[in-house]
Amino acid sequence: MTDIVTFGEVLAEFMATRINQRLGEAGQFAGPYPGGAPAIFIDQAAKLGSTAALVSAVGDDDFGRMLVERLKADGVDTSSIATLADETTASAFVTYYDDGSRDFIFNIANGACARIAEAQFGPVLEGCKLFHVAGTALFSEHMIELARVAIGRVKAGGGRISFDPNVRKEMLDRPGVREALTGLLSSTDILLPSDDELNVLVEREAESEAVARAFELGVSEIVLKRGGDGCRYYDGSGMRELPGFEVEEVDPTGAGDSFGATFCTLRSQGMAAADALVYANAAGASAVSRQGAMEGTSTREQLDAFIASHS
Ligand code: ADP
């Protein structure tokens, strides 16, 4: 029995060491750092003490071994991560600009994780309390279909679904993508959009209208991630807003995944939403203050210490 399961990319990430270093320019890179939204999410869930499994695939190479070892060391059940002899592990390159923006080069759709097979969901979904769908994992029709199959099984077993749409506007214009993502909302219990993602997805300008539309589709909790401004929470009976903790932002990659995993994991452990939001906000703030997407995940003890020192 596994409490929390997600699927999708796990990747080796390389970061330009100089601000404004364009990715095509010669320069130094730091890494490899473990990354990939689903991998960060599940790492954070395991650090909070839930049984947590990632369904993914890596190549039979050093990046793949490094990623699996790291997840294992953090307590993740890696038995559903396939090692594929003829594929390479996914990778990403990132650079930061002084206006706060980032550029990425992703090698995901051509990587081993694009070859995840339905059979890998085997026994891992039995008794699953929460299945998380990271929008970044829905990069092909095959991956969208895998999400549908897994969601069907988890729902039939009484589990809940969380969904972080992670929408890139270009992606929504591809045939069938908007319909697929909107369709997912009707299976979603906890929705974790950031900024105007929900507006873009459901095509409503005002936040209140977008939220109302998501509830109409069947969502029961919405946690809106607002970067340094913290978060807003809607549960159909009202809205709660929390300001962000004050930290120095070093690396924003992965904050949303640490935040979302903390909220969902603590909720599935029975914590009240009001308390889970404080921990999630702390997890997001801790994540941005450390370099490396997965380096930002925290244990419960670390979050308690963070909250105590920032109150
Ligand atoms: P995403 O990475 O999905 O776009 P955000 O950037 O909104 O998500 O970050 C997720 C959460 O992390 C925020 O809701 C907030 O709680 C926390 N966070 C992000 N950036 C900062 C920051 N600069 N200072 C404090 N907290 C932050």
Side-chain angles (χ1 to χ4, degrees):
M1 276 233 320
T2 314
D3 294 333
I4 314 231
V5 181
T6 190
F7 85 116
E9 73 278 14
V10 55
L11 53 82
E13 184 174 309
F14 297 84
M15 260 174 238
T17 52
R18 182 162 54 77
I19 298 283
N20 296 330
Q21 178 187 317
R22 301 189 68 83
L23 284 175
E25 205 184 309
Q28 304 277 322
F29 284 84
Y33 288 105
I40 297 159
F41 186 98
I42 213 67
D43 190 80
Q44 177 60 80
K47 281 195 176 175
L48 291 173
S50 285
T51 53
L54 176 67
V55 178
S56 188
V58 294
D60 186 10
D61 51 39
D62 280 349
F63 291 162
R65 284 184 279 280
M66 175 276 287
L67 293 168
V68 171
E69 283 316 309
R70 168 59 186 276
L71 289 170
K72 242 188 221 164
D74 286 352
V76 174
D77 172 354
T78 58
S79 58
S80 302
I81 302 180
T83 299
L84 304 178
D86 301 330
E87 306 287 344
T88 47
T89 302
S91 56
F93 295 82
V94 59
T95 193
Y96 296 95
Y97 296 106
D98 53 14
D99 64 358
S101 66
R102 287 173 278 178
D103 260 348
F104 287 93
I105 293 178
F106 288 113
N107 172 25
I108 295 177
N110 301 322
C113 60
R115 308 276 172 273
I116 299 171
E118 194 183 316
Q120 286 177 245
F121 285 107
V124 79
L125 292 181
E126 275 163 34
C128 168
K129 289 188 194 155
L130 182 109
F131 181 73
H132 178 70
V133 179
T136 55
L138 304 175
F139 54 79
S140 68
E141 277 179 33
H142 170 66
M143 298 295 275
I144 293 172
E145 185 51 28
L146 286 181
R148 276 204 203 98
V149 169
I151 287 170
R153 280 190 53 193
V154 172
K155 288 243 143 186
R160 302 183 87 205
I161 307 298
S162 57
F163 176 38
D164 182 341
N166 222 307
V167 183
R168 271 180 284 139
K169 289 179 184 149
E170 321 81 78
M171 198 174 131
L172 280 176
D173 295 334
R174 288 194 214 147
V177 172
R178 185 188 296 276
E179 293 69 22
L181 295 187
T182 316
L184 270 178
L185 294 183
S186 59
S187 312
T188 298
D189 298 288
I190 306 177
L191 183 65
L192 300 153
S194 48
D195 301 322
D196 67 346
E197 262 173 13
L198 181 58
N199 304 64
V200 173
L201 187 57
V202 300
E203 299 179 284
R204 298 286 190 280
E205 255 178 46
E207 185 174 304
S208 58
E209 285 171 23
V211 164
R213 177 71 186 133
F215 284 126
E216 215 173 84
L217 289 165
V219 173
S220 51
E221 297 177 75
I222 302 175
V223 195
L224 201 74
K225 295 169 284 175
R226 303 179 64 232
D229 292 332
C231 60
R232 281 200 195 111
Y233 173 76
Y234 296 89
D235 66 358
S237 66
M239 191 270 276
R240 185 184 286 269
E241 185 167 302
L242 271 75
F245 284 101
E246 280 198 23
V247 289
E248 191 194 335
E249 187 171 299
V250 174
D251 179 4
T253 314
D257 307 311
S258 295
F259 175 100
T262 299
F263 182 78
C264 294
T265 304
L266 295 177
R267 288 293 279 146
S268 88
Q269 291 175 0
M271 188 183 277
D275 298 327
L277 286 170
V278 176
Y279 278 102
N281 231 5
S286 301
V288 298
S289 57
R290 287 180 237 149
Q291 188 175 32
M294 198 179 282
E295 313 316 304
T297 57
S298 307
T299 62
R300 176 74 181 263
E301 293 67 33
Q302 286 170 324
L303 293 179
D304 281 327
F306 178 92
I307 293 166
S309 65
H310 286 78
S311 309

